[in-house]
Amino acid sequence: LGERVRVLRLERGLTQEELAGSRFSKEYLSQIERGVSRPTPTTIAWLADKLGADPIFLETGAGGELELVERAEALLERQEYTGVRELLDGATFPVALQLRALLAQSWARMYLGKIDEALEQLRLAAALAPDAAALADVVYRVGCCEYKRSEVDAAELLFTEALSLAERGGAPDRLRAHVYEWRSR
């Protein structure tokens, strides 16, 4: 419990004092994080709410698949690819989260030089894509993998396909910007 509270607090950029607020002391929160004090169920629920986490996950570490994927995505933002791999390898996810988990895993693997593994995960992700916008994201990532393998012509075709899918599916502008960025390389 204490480790999960500490990790989530740090991921949200909070100090112990900020998280504790006026509810309890910084010292008590420190004791929780170090495993010295065991909070009540009410305190666990309050901490979970403040940290945007599932109380069951916070207390037991189980059932926190969404938190796991969100943590992996946060690690990707910080370019901590090994951390993503370690966090997600061997984990199972409900159908609703499988696509996000596969995208995170594949991106980390690509940057770790495991292109074939990344492409296998993207093949699985393509089968799960619910619409053209999601498929555009997958195709873009496949293009990035091909670019990393020095298959520039194949990558360019994939980026063009991703842009077409993005336009058709109403994908976010951010995805189109990423595609243009990679395509300009």
Side-chain angles (χ1 to χ4, degrees), residues 122 126 134-144 155 157-163 165:
L122 289 168
L135 188 56
D137 194 9
V138 174
V139 171
Y140 151 69
R141 291 167 191 256
V142 172
C144 295
L157 289 172
L158 288 161
F159 293 145
T160 300
E161 182 182 348
L163 286 171
L165 287 164

Side-chain angles (χ1 to χ4, degrees), residues 7-182:
V7 167
L8 291 170
R9 175 181 61 77
L10 292 173
E11 285 179 358
R12 276 124 180 101
L14 298 171
T15 65
Q16 288 179 336
E17 191 170 18
E18 289 169 334
L19 178 57
S22 61
R23 172 119 181 165
F24 41 78
S25 70
K26 172 187 155 213
E27 290 75 20
Y28 178 60
L29 184 60
S30 176
Q31 290 174 355
I32 292 171
E33 288 184 2
R34 289 181 289 127
V36 174
S37 290
R38 178 79 180 158
T40 65
T42 303
T43 300
I44 292 170
W46 185 87
L47 285 168
D49 181 58
K50 291 295 181 190
L51 293 168
D54 176 6
I56 294 170
F57 169 73
L58 197 59
E59 185 171 11
T60 67
E65 292 90 355
L66 177 59
E67 282 83 6
L68 200 60
V69 171
E70 288 174 342
R71 285 178 58 202
E73 291 168 340
L75 289 170
L76 280 177
E77 288 291 319
R78 295 192 307 264
Q79 300 178 354
E80 296 177 24
Y81 305 117
T82 301
V84 173
R85 192 188 71 223
E86 291 170 355
L87 188 64
L88 297 181
D89 275 1
T92 57
F93 297 94
V95 173
L97 291 174
Q98 286 176 358
L99 179 61
R100 284 175 66 182
L102 285 167
L103 292 176
Q105 288 173 314
S106 66
W107 205 240
R109 279 182 165 65
M110 182 191 74
Y111 276 104
L112 291 170
K114 306 288 186 186
I115 305 298
D116 290 337
E117 292 175 20
L119 287 168
E120 176 59 26
Q121 290 175 321
L122 289 168
R123 185 187 63 73
L124 297 171
L128 295 171
D131 54 31
L135 188 56
D137 194 9
V138 174
V139 171
Y140 151 69
R141 291 167 191 256
V142 172
C144 295
C145 288
E146 292 299 339
Y147 178 85
K148 288 281 193 177
R149 291 197 321 185
S150 298
E151 298 292 337
V152 177
D153 291 339
E156 188 173 352
L157 289 172
L158 288 161
F159 293 145
T160 300
E161 182 182 348
L163 286 171
S164 175
L165 287 164
E167 291 297 324
R168 244 191 346 242
D173 290 339
R174 183 177 181 192
L175 175 61
R176 286 191 285 276
H178 287 308
V179 174
Y180 284 122
E181 175 192 342
W182 274 79

